[in-house]
Amino acid sequence: MTDVQICEVGPRDGLQNAKHLMPTPAKKAWIEALAGAGLREIEVGSFVPPKLIPAMADTAEIVAFARTLPGVKVVALAPNLKGFQRALEAGAHKVTFPVSASRLHSESNVRMTPEQMVEEVRGCARHPHPGVEIEGAVSTAFGCTLQGAVPEEDVLRIAAALAEFCDCVALADTVGYANPAQVKRLFRKVKSEIGQKLEGAHFHNTRGLGLANALAAYEEGVRAFDSSMGGLGGCPFAPGASGNVITEDLVFMFESMGIHTGIDLEALFKARGLLTSAIPEEPVYGHIPLAGLPKGFRQHV
Ligand code: COA
Ligand code: ZN
């Protein structure tokens, strides 16, 4: 048993925003190495129109491959019923829907208002999906580069609506606007509204506060975190969005605090090697991979 559950979103959030396309065989090798390092939840791609995001065109093949990796929960993002049906056909274990609390981001990202998107997800939840988990992710929950401030009431209203028919709800800081005090306040408020349905925290490191925000969420009782290897990531439809909280650094933070992630750091560095050799021109980040583990550091995997 682990103390926290880390979902690696690099193959989706990371590669959707990368300038360089990762070939399908390299994606498979990378995902296999991530699973080998102990990641038990991997968001492997999205079911969006391939014309819109060519890097996600092979998601069905990637989902089918990831399903062969023992013990891995295979997650895919879908923006609408068509994407959900494609995800079900491919065999995803969990499907996550981005529901922006910002009207402008929602319209830019999925061409629907937040209210329309909530109804789209409700329709998906009504569609038969035996054994498949549905997550409603409230995007731009902490602010938006298009709209600016996002009222907390809007986040609460959307989270409460999603909690009616989703298995779990996550709060996402799509553009890296959150700070730790805000994270604590909003997670507490949403939790008081929807209780245990509130699960995941999805942070971006755009302004350097990714780890601080993750720790703040942990202190509020959050135990499920998204992160991206090498700090890849960002929504192509949110101006100024950049990489997710960095998996390597997040795992190190938790492990150094004695919080068990189930992830082997040395094996994680090997997976990073596969990522950087597959798309060598793509900038990657991370403190712990560059500095190395502290002398005498022992991890109990
Ligand atoms: N997968 C594949 N094709 C899809 C699709 C999906 N999920 N959803 C729609 N399409 C196809 C339609 O069949 C249609 O094809 P056609 O032109 O051959 O008839 C075309 O795309 C347009 O469909 P429409 O329903 O009008 O979509 P849209 O152009 O209004 O776009 C979304 C709406 C939601 C599909 C699009 O905005 C989207 O994919 N957004 C997500 C973007 C994203 O990945 N953001 C980052 C992650 S949060
Ligand atoms: Zn993201």
Side-chain angles (χ1 to χ4, degrees), residues 101-142:
S102 147
R103 178 185 202 85
L104 287 178
H105 178 253
S106 188
E107 285 170 351
S108 161
N109 193 38
V110 293
R111 301 188 196 221
M112 290 176 247
T113 63
E115 292 72 25
Q116 287 169 330
M117 186 59 183
V118 166
E119 291 316 307
E120 186 76 23
V121 185
R122 192 193 302 273
C124 293
R126 285 195 182 126
H127 190 81
H129 56 280
V132 176
E133 220 178 302
I134 294 185
E135 178 183 75
V138 188
S139 335
T140 60
F142 300 89

mmCIF file of all heavy atoms in Angstrom, residues 101-142:
data_model
loop_
_atom_site.group_PDB
_atom_site.id
_atom_site.type_symbol
_atom_site.label_atom_id
_atom_site.label_comp_id
_atom_site.label_asym_id
_atom_site.label_seq_id
_atom_site.Cartn_x
_atom_site.Cartn_y
_atom_site.Cartn_z
ATOM 1 N N ALA A 101 -13.691 25.889 -15.120
ATOM 2 C CA ALA A 101 -14.508 26.815 -14.336
ATOM 3 C C ALA A 101 -14.513 28.197 -14.991
ATOM 4 O O ALA A 101 -15.378 29.012 -14.707
ATOM 5 C CB ALA A 101 -13.980 26.898 -12.909
ATOM 6 N N SER A 102 -13.538 28.437 -15.847
ATOM 7 C CA SER A 102 -13.488 29.698 -16.586
ATOM 8 C C SER A 102 -14.244 29.543 -17.897
ATOM 9 O O SER A 102 -13.948 28.650 -18.696
ATOM 10 C CB SER A 102 -12.027 30.081 -16.864
ATOM 11 O OG SER A 102 -11.922 30.766 -18.096
ATOM 12 N N ARG A 103 -15.192 30.438 -18.104
ATOM 13 C CA ARG A 103 -15.997 30.361 -19.323
ATOM 14 C C ARG A 103 -15.116 30.530 -20.565
ATOM 15 O O ARG A 103 -15.239 29.797 -21.544
ATOM 16 C CB ARG A 103 -17.057 31.460 -19.247
ATOM 17 C CG ARG A 103 -17.930 31.547 -20.440
ATOM 18 C CD ARG A 103 -18.862 32.758 -20.316
ATOM 19 N NE ARG A 103 -20.005 32.538 -21.161
ATOM 20 C CZ ARG A 103 -21.073 31.861 -20.784
ATOM 21 N NH1 ARG A 103 -21.169 31.394 -19.574
ATOM 22 N NH2 ARG A 103 -22.061 31.671 -21.617
ATOM 23 N N LEU A 104 -14.191 31.489 -20.497
ATOM 24 C CA LEU A 104 -13.365 31.751 -21.686
ATOM 25 C C LEU A 104 -12.453 30.565 -22.004
ATOM 26 O O LEU A 104 -12.272 30.197 -23.159
ATOM 27 C CB LEU A 104 -12.528 33.023 -21.483
ATOM 28 C CG LEU A 104 -13.297 34.336 -21.540
ATOM 29 C CD1 LEU A 104 -12.371 35.516 -21.282
ATOM 30 C CD2 LEU A 104 -13.984 34.499 -22.907
ATOM 31 N N HIS A 105 -11.883 29.949 -20.959
ATOM 32 C CA HIS A 105 -11.032 28.789 -21.229
ATOM 33 C C HIS A 105 -11.865 27.617 -21.730
ATOM 34 O O HIS A 105 -11.462 26.893 -22.640
ATOM 35 C CB HIS A 105 -10.216 28.367 -20.001
ATOM 36 C CG HIS A 105 -9.377 27.144 -20.278
ATOM 37 N ND1 HIS A 105 -9.681 25.905 -19.766
ATOM 38 C CD2 HIS A 105 -8.294 26.961 -21.085
ATOM 39 C CE1 HIS A 105 -8.792 25.012 -20.224
ATOM 40 N NE2 HIS A 105 -7.949 25.622 -21.017
ATOM 41 N N SER A 106 -13.045 27.443 -21.155
ATOM 42 C CA SER A 106 -13.904 26.349 -21.579
ATOM 43 C C SER A 106 -14.235 26.495 -23.068
ATOM 44 O O SER A 106 -14.135 25.532 -23.845
ATOM 45 C CB SER A 106 -15.186 26.350 -20.744
ATOM 46 O OG SER A 106 -15.932 25.198 -21.010
ATOM 47 N N GLU A 107 -14.591 27.709 -23.464
ATOM 48 C CA GLU A 107 -14.946 27.925 -24.870
ATOM 49 C C GLU A 107 -13.745 27.733 -25.781
ATOM 50 O O GLU A 107 -13.849 27.189 -26.879
ATOM 51 C CB GLU A 107 -15.582 29.311 -25.041
ATOM 52 C CG GLU A 107 -17.014 29.308 -24.499
ATOM 53 C CD GLU A 107 -17.655 30.680 -24.392
ATOM 54 O OE1 GLU A 107 -16.942 31.695 -24.582
ATOM 55 O OE2 GLU A 107 -18.868 30.739 -24.108
ATOM 56 N N SER A 108 -12.571 28.152 -25.295
ATOM 57 C CA SER A 108 -11.356 27.976 -26.095
ATOM 58 C C SER A 108 -10.952 26.500 -26.178
ATOM 59 O O SER A 108 -10.538 26.015 -27.229
ATOM 60 C CB SER A 108 -10.232 28.813 -25.461
ATOM 61 O OG SER A 108 -8.980 28.376 -25.888
ATOM 62 N N ASN A 109 -11.135 25.788 -25.093
ATOM 63 C CA ASN A 109 -10.631 24.407 -25.021
ATOM 64 C C ASN A 109 -11.588 23.393 -25.633
ATOM 65 O O ASN A 109 -11.161 22.515 -26.388
ATOM 66 C CB ASN A 109 -10.369 24.054 -23.555
ATOM 67 C CG ASN A 109 -9.556 22.793 -23.393
ATOM 68 O OD1 ASN A 109 -8.636 22.542 -24.178
ATOM 69 N ND2 ASN A 109 -9.881 22.000 -22.395
ATOM 70 N N VAL A 110 -12.867 23.500 -25.298
ATOM 71 C CA VAL A 110 -13.810 22.461 -25.752
ATOM 72 C C VAL A 110 -14.991 23.039 -26.543
ATOM 73 O O VAL A 110 -15.919 22.311 -26.889
ATOM 74 C CB VAL A 110 -14.339 21.607 -24.564
ATOM 75 C CG1 VAL A 110 -13.215 20.785 -23.970
ATOM 76 C CG2 VAL A 110 -15.005 22.461 -23.493
ATOM 77 N N ARG A 111 -14.933 24.342 -26.809
ATOM 78 C CA ARG A 111 -16.009 25.006 -27.571
ATOM 79 C C ARG A 111 -17.377 24.824 -26.934
ATOM 80 O O ARG A 111 -18.387 24.700 -27.642
ATOM 81 C CB ARG A 111 -16.042 24.509 -29.000
ATOM 82 C CG ARG A 111 -14.731 24.739 -29.737
ATOM 83 C CD ARG A 111 -14.953 24.385 -31.155
ATOM 84 N NE ARG A 111 -13.713 24.200 -31.855
ATOM 85 C CZ ARG A 111 -13.528 24.644 -33.086
ATOM 86 N NH1 ARG A 111 -14.475 25.312 -33.696
ATOM 87 N NH2 ARG A 111 -12.400 24.411 -33.694
ATOM 88 N N MET A 112 -17.374 24.747 -25.619
ATOM 89 C CA MET A 112 -18.637 24.672 -24.876
ATOM 90 C C MET A 112 -18.501 25.585 -23.665
ATOM 91 O O MET A 112 -17.383 25.789 -23.165
ATOM 92 C CB MET A 112 -18.889 23.238 -24.365
ATOM 93 C CG MET A 112 -19.223 22.233 -25.439
ATOM 94 S SD MET A 112 -19.397 20.562 -24.756
ATOM 95 C CE MET A 112 -17.995 19.728 -25.498
ATOM 96 N N THR A 113 -19.642 26.090 -23.170
ATOM 97 C CA THR A 113 -19.601 26.822 -21.910
ATOM 98 C C THR A 113 -19.388 25.787 -20.794
ATOM 99 O O THR A 113 -19.616 24.586 -21.005
ATOM 100 C CB THR A 113 -20.926 27.557 -21.649
ATOM 101 O OG1 THR A 113 -21.956 26.558 -21.528
ATOM 102 C CG2 THR A 113 -21.266 28.520 -22.781
ATOM 103 N N PRO A 114 -18.998 26.233 -19.604
ATOM 104 C CA PRO A 114 -18.871 25.281 -18.505
ATOM 105 C C PRO A 114 -20.161 24.488 -18.287
ATOM 106 O O PRO A 114 -20.124 23.272 -18.062
ATOM 107 C CB PRO A 114 -18.540 26.168 -17.296
ATOM 108 C CG PRO A 114 -17.859 27.364 -17.896
ATOM 109 C CD PRO A 114 -18.527 27.588 -19.219
ATOM 110 N N GLU A 115 -21.307 25.174 -18.388
ATOM 111 C CA GLU A 115 -22.596 24.500 -18.161
ATOM 112 C C GLU A 115 -22.845 23.438 -19.237
ATOM 113 O O GLU A 115 -23.294 22.329 -18.937
ATOM 114 C CB GLU A 115 -23.756 25.515 -18.177
ATOM 115 C CG GLU A 115 -23.757 26.497 -17.001
ATOM 116 C CD GLU A 115 -22.649 27.555 -17.073
ATOM 117 O OE1 GLU A 115 -22.173 27.864 -18.196
ATOM 118 O OE2 GLU A 115 -22.244 28.072 -16.015
ATOM 119 N N GLN A 116 -22.534 23.772 -20.476
ATOM 120 C CA GLN A 116 -22.701 22.788 -21.561
ATOM 121 C C GLN A 116 -21.774 21.594 -21.353
ATOM 122 O O GLN A 116 -22.151 20.449 -21.609
ATOM 123 C CB GLN A 116 -22.410 23.435 -22.925
ATOM 124 C CG GLN A 116 -23.500 24.392 -23.381
ATOM 125 C CD GLN A 116 -23.068 25.221 -24.592
ATOM 126 O OE1 GLN A 116 -21.884 25.523 -24.785
ATOM 127 N NE2 GLN A 116 -24.026 25.605 -25.413
ATOM 128 N N MET A 117 -20.577 21.880 -20.881
ATOM 129 C CA MET A 117 -19.615 20.789 -20.683
ATOM 130 C C MET A 117 -20.068 19.865 -19.542
ATOM 131 O O MET A 117 -19.944 18.644 -19.636
ATOM 132 C CB MET A 117 -18.215 21.375 -20.407
ATOM 133 C CG MET A 117 -17.128 20.344 -20.323
ATOM 134 S SD MET A 117 -16.945 19.338 -21.845
ATOM 135 C CE MET A 117 -15.654 18.210 -21.303
ATOM 136 N N VAL A 118 -20.620 20.460 -18.475
ATOM 137 C CA VAL A 118 -21.169 19.631 -17.384
ATOM 138 C C VAL A 118 -22.242 18.701 -17.962
ATOM 139 O O VAL A 118 -22.273 17.503 -17.659
ATOM 140 C CB VAL A 118 -21.746 20.511 -16.247
ATOM 141 C CG1 VAL A 118 -22.614 19.688 -15.298
ATOM 142 C CG2 VAL A 118 -20.619 21.207 -15.471
ATOM 143 N N GLU A 119 -23.100 19.238 -18.836
ATOM 144 C CA GLU A 119 -24.166 18.405 -19.432
ATOM 145 C C GLU A 119 -23.589 17.336 -20.354
ATOM 146 O O GLU A 119 -24.099 16.216 -20.420
ATOM 147 C CB GLU A 119 -25.196 19.277 -20.176
ATOM 148 C CG GLU A 119 -26.036 20.143 -19.248
ATOM 149 C CD GLU A 119 -26.538 19.389 -18.003
ATOM 150 O OE1 GLU A 119 -27.143 18.317 -18.164
ATOM 151 O OE2 GLU A 119 -26.295 19.870 -16.874
ATOM 152 N N GLU A 120 -22.489 17.668 -21.046
ATOM 153 C CA GLU A 120 -21.822 16.686 -21.914
ATOM 154 C C GLU A 120 -21.319 15.505 -21.065
ATOM 155 O O GLU A 120 -21.499 14.345 -21.420
ATOM 156 C CB GLU A 120 -20.654 17.372 -22.647
ATOM 157 C CG GLU A 120 -19.957 16.521 -23.682
ATOM 158 C CD GLU A 120 -20.745 16.372 -24.989
ATOM 159 O OE1 GLU A 120 -21.601 17.225 -25.288
ATOM 160 O OE2 GLU A 120 -20.485 15.371 -25.700
ATOM 161 N N VAL A 121 -20.710 15.835 -19.928
ATOM 162 C CA VAL A 121 -20.184 14.770 -19.066
ATOM 163 C C VAL A 121 -21.338 13.972 -18.452
ATOM 164 O O VAL A 121 -21.269 12.745 -18.333
ATOM 165 C CB VAL A 121 -19.254 15.336 -17.952
ATOM 166 C CG1 VAL A 121 -18.635 14.204 -17.144
ATOM 167 C CG2 VAL A 121 -18.157 16.208 -18.546
ATOM 168 N N ARG A 122 -22.432 14.675 -18.112
ATOM 169 C CA ARG A 122 -23.589 13.963 -17.572
ATOM 170 C C ARG A 122 -24.101 12.932 -18.599
ATOM 171 O O ARG A 122 -24.400 11.794 -18.256
ATOM 172 C CB ARG A 122 -24.721 14.962 -17.240
ATOM 173 C CG ARG A 122 -25.847 14.347 -16.398
ATOM 174 C CD ARG A 122 -27.089 15.250 -16.359
ATOM 175 N NE ARG A 122 -26.848 16.581 -15.849
ATOM 176 C CZ ARG A 122 -26.883 16.918 -14.558
ATOM 177 N NH1 ARG A 122 -27.154 16.008 -13.654
ATOM 178 N NH2 ARG A 122 -26.663 18.152 -14.187
ATOM 179 N N GLY A 123 -24.137 13.357 -19.853
ATOM 180 C CA GLY A 123 -24.553 12.446 -20.923
ATOM 181 C C GLY A 123 -23.625 11.245 -21.013
ATOM 182 O O GLY A 123 -24.077 10.108 -21.225
ATOM 183 N N CYS A 124 -22.349 11.461 -20.867
ATOM 184 C CA CYS A 124 -21.376 10.355 -20.913
ATOM 185 C C CYS A 124 -21.612 9.403 -19.741
ATOM 186 O O CYS A 124 -21.568 8.175 -19.895
ATOM 187 C CB CYS A 124 -19.946 10.891 -20.867
ATOM 188 S SG CYS A 124 -19.501 11.834 -22.338
ATOM 189 N N ALA A 125 -21.868 9.978 -18.574
ATOM 190 C CA ALA A 125 -22.081 9.147 -17.380
ATOM 191 C C ALA A 125 -23.325 8.277 -17.540
ATOM 192 O O ALA A 125 -23.398 7.179 -16.977
ATOM 193 C CB ALA A 125 -22.184 10.025 -16.142
ATOM 194 N N ARG A 126 -24.309 8.764 -18.322
ATOM 195 C CA ARG A 126 -25.539 7.990 -18.555
ATOM 196 C C ARG A 126 -25.317 6.872 -19.564
ATOM 197 O O ARG A 126 -26.076 5.912 -19.622
ATOM 198 C CB ARG A 126 -26.640 8.911 -19.089
ATOM 199 C CG ARG A 126 -27.214 9.793 -18.010
ATOM 200 C CD ARG A 126 -28.533 10.404 -18.509
ATOM 201 N NE ARG A 126 -29.054 11.293 -17.496
ATOM 202 C CZ ARG A 126 -29.371 12.560 -17.724
ATOM 203 N NH1 ARG A 126 -29.248 13.076 -18.930
ATOM 204 N NH2 ARG A 126 -29.827 13.320 -16.746
ATOM 205 N N HIS A 127 -24.311 7.060 -20.390
ATOM 206 C CA HIS A 127 -23.966 6.068 -21.406
ATOM 207 C C HIS A 127 -23.380 4.843 -20.681
ATOM 208 O O HIS A 127 -22.588 5.002 -19.770
ATOM 209 C CB HIS A 127 -22.904 6.736 -22.303
ATOM 210 C CG HIS A 127 -22.581 5.989 -23.527
ATOM 211 N ND1 HIS A 127 -23.359 6.052 -24.647
ATOM 212 C CD2 HIS A 127 -21.552 5.167 -23.814
ATOM 213 C CE1 HIS A 127 -22.809 5.300 -25.578
ATOM 214 N NE2 HIS A 127 -21.718 4.746 -25.101
ATOM 215 N N PRO A 128 -23.772 3.607 -21.075
ATOM 216 C CA PRO A 128 -23.241 2.445 -20.350
ATOM 217 C C PRO A 128 -21.709 2.408 -20.390
ATOM 218 O O PRO A 128 -21.115 2.587 -21.459
ATOM 219 C CB PRO A 128 -23.824 1.251 -21.121
ATOM 220 C CG PRO A 128 -24.948 1.793 -21.939
ATOM 221 C CD PRO A 128 -24.683 3.250 -22.166
ATOM 222 N N HIS A 129 -21.110 2.210 -19.222
ATOM 223 C CA HIS A 129 -19.634 2.187 -19.175
ATOM 224 C C HIS A 129 -19.190 1.238 -18.062
ATOM 225 O O HIS A 129 -18.543 1.652 -17.107
ATOM 226 C CB HIS A 129 -19.067 3.598 -18.963
ATOM 227 C CG HIS A 129 -19.587 4.297 -17.734
ATOM 228 N ND1 HIS A 129 -20.806 4.923 -17.700
ATOM 229 C CD2 HIS A 129 -19.061 4.453 -16.502
ATOM 230 C CE1 HIS A 129 -20.999 5.433 -16.504
ATOM 231 N NE2 HIS A 129 -19.957 5.154 -15.734
ATOM 232 N N PRO A 130 -19.561 -0.051 -18.191
ATOM 233 C CA PRO A 130 -19.317 -0.985 -17.090
ATOM 234 C C PRO A 130 -17.856 -1.019 -16.632
ATOM 235 O O PRO A 130 -16.952 -1.220 -17.443
ATOM 236 C CB PRO A 130 -19.744 -2.349 -17.668
ATOM 237 C CG PRO A 130 -19.932 -2.141 -19.131
ATOM 238 C CD PRO A 130 -20.132 -0.690 -19.369
ATOM 239 N N GLY A 131 -17.683 -0.771 -15.347
ATOM 240 C CA GLY A 131 -16.340 -0.893 -14.751
ATOM 241 C C GLY A 131 -15.395 0.253 -15.057
ATOM 242 O O GLY A 131 -14.268 0.266 -14.571
ATOM 243 N N VAL A 132 -15.837 1.213 -15.861
ATOM 244 C CA VAL A 132 -14.936 2.318 -16.217
ATOM 245 C C VAL A 132 -15.232 3.517 -15.314
ATOM 246 O O VAL A 132 -16.381 3.925 -15.161
ATOM 247 C CB VAL A 132 -15.079 2.704 -17.705
ATOM 248 C CG1 VAL A 132 -14.227 3.911 -18.045
ATOM 249 C CG2 VAL A 132 -14.724 1.516 -18.585
ATOM 250 N N GLU A 133 -14.152 4.027 -14.733
ATOM 251 C CA GLU A 133 -14.282 5.145 -13.795
ATOM 252 C C GLU A 133 -14.373 6.467 -14.571
ATOM 253 O O GLU A 133 -13.666 6.637 -15.572
ATOM 254 C CB GLU A 133 -12.999 5.161 -12.969
ATOM 255 C CG GLU A 133 -13.127 5.451 -11.511
ATOM 256 C CD GLU A 133 -11.743 5.382 -10.864
ATOM 257 O OE1 GLU A 133 -11.066 4.324 -10.939
ATOM 258 O OE2 GLU A 133 -11.338 6.395 -10.301
ATOM 259 N N ILE A 134 -15.187 7.375 -14.071
ATOM 260 C CA ILE A 134 -15.295 8.703 -14.700
ATOM 261 C C ILE A 134 -14.825 9.769 -13.709
ATOM 262 O O ILE A 134 -15.323 9.838 -12.583
ATOM 263 C CB ILE A 134 -16.750 9.005 -15.122
ATOM 264 C CG1 ILE A 134 -17.179 8.054 -16.244
ATOM 265 C CG2 ILE A 134 -16.900 10.451 -15.564
ATOM 266 C CD1 ILE A 134 -18.558 8.353 -16.819
ATOM 267 N N GLU A 135 -13.869 10.571 -14.171
ATOM 268 C CA GLU A 135 -13.388 11.683 -13.338
ATOM 269 C C GLU A 135 -13.796 13.006 -13.974
ATOM 270 O O GLU A 135 -13.600 13.211 -15.175
ATOM 271 C CB GLU A 135 -11.857 11.639 -13.224
ATOM 272 C CG GLU A 135 -11.291 12.798 -12.414
ATOM 273 C CD GLU A 135 -9.765 12.801 -12.370
ATOM 274 O OE1 GLU A 135 -9.144 13.173 -13.385
ATOM 275 O OE2 GLU A 135 -9.203 12.429 -11.331
ATOM 276 N N GLY A 136 -14.317 13.891 -13.161
ATOM 277 C CA GLY A 136 -14.569 15.257 -13.603
ATOM 278 C C GLY A 136 -13.456 16.131 -13.059
ATOM 279 O O GLY A 136 -13.293 16.245 -11.846
ATOM 280 N N ALA A 137 -12.677 16.717 -13.962
ATOM 281 C CA ALA A 137 -11.559 17.559 -13.513
ATOM 282 C C ALA A 137 -11.936 19.016 -13.714
ATOM 283 O O ALA A 137 -12.191 19.439 -14.853
ATOM 284 C CB ALA A 137 -10.299 17.216 -14.296
ATOM 285 N N VAL A 138 -12.013 19.755 -12.630
ATOM 286 C CA VAL A 138 -12.356 21.177 -12.741
ATOM 287 C C VAL A 138 -11.098 21.944 -13.126
ATOM 288 O O VAL A 138 -10.212 22.168 -12.295
ATOM 289 C CB VAL A 138 -12.952 21.722 -11.427
ATOM 290 C CG1 VAL A 138 -13.467 23.151 -11.647
ATOM 291 C CG2 VAL A 138 -14.068 20.825 -10.909
ATOM 292 N N SER A 139 -10.984 22.298 -14.416
ATOM 293 C CA SER A 139 -9.794 23.012 -14.893
ATOM 294 C C SER A 139 -9.895 24.492 -14.560
ATOM 295 O O SER A 139 -10.985 24.993 -14.267
ATOM 296 C CB SER A 139 -9.613 22.889 -16.405
ATOM 297 O OG SER A 139 -10.217 21.752 -16.915
ATOM 298 N N THR A 140 -8.767 25.160 -14.640
ATOM 299 C CA THR A 140 -8.631 26.590 -14.302
ATOM 300 C C THR A 140 -9.325 26.916 -12.975
ATOM 301 O O THR A 140 -9.901 27.988 -12.806
ATOM 302 C CB THR A 140 -9.185 27.527 -15.422
ATOM 303 O OG1 THR A 140 -10.583 27.250 -15.631
ATOM 304 C CG2 THR A 140 -8.442 27.362 -16.724
ATOM 305 N N ALA A 141 -9.238 25.975 -12.024
ATOM 306 C CA ALA A 141 -9.936 26.157 -10.749
ATOM 307 C C ALA A 141 -9.292 27.250 -9.896
ATOM 308 O O ALA A 141 -9.913 27.756 -8.955
ATOM 309 C CB ALA A 141 -9.948 24.836 -9.977
ATOM 310 N N PHE A 142 -8.051 27.602 -10.221
ATOM 311 C CA PHE A 142 -7.331 28.564 -9.375
ATOM 312 C C PHE A 142 -7.026 29.875 -10.112
ATOM 313 O O PHE A 142 -6.277 30.712 -9.626
ATOM 314 C CB PHE A 142 -6.037 27.928 -8.865
ATOM 315 C CG PHE A 142 -6.288 26.696 -8.037
ATOM 316 C CD1 PHE A 142 -6.375 25.439 -8.634
ATOM 317 C CD2 PHE A 142 -6.456 26.790 -6.661
ATOM 318 C CE1 PHE A 142 -6.624 24.298 -7.875
ATOM 319 C CE2 PHE A 142 -6.701 25.660 -5.893
ATOM 320 C CZ PHE A 142 -6.790 24.416 -6.504
#
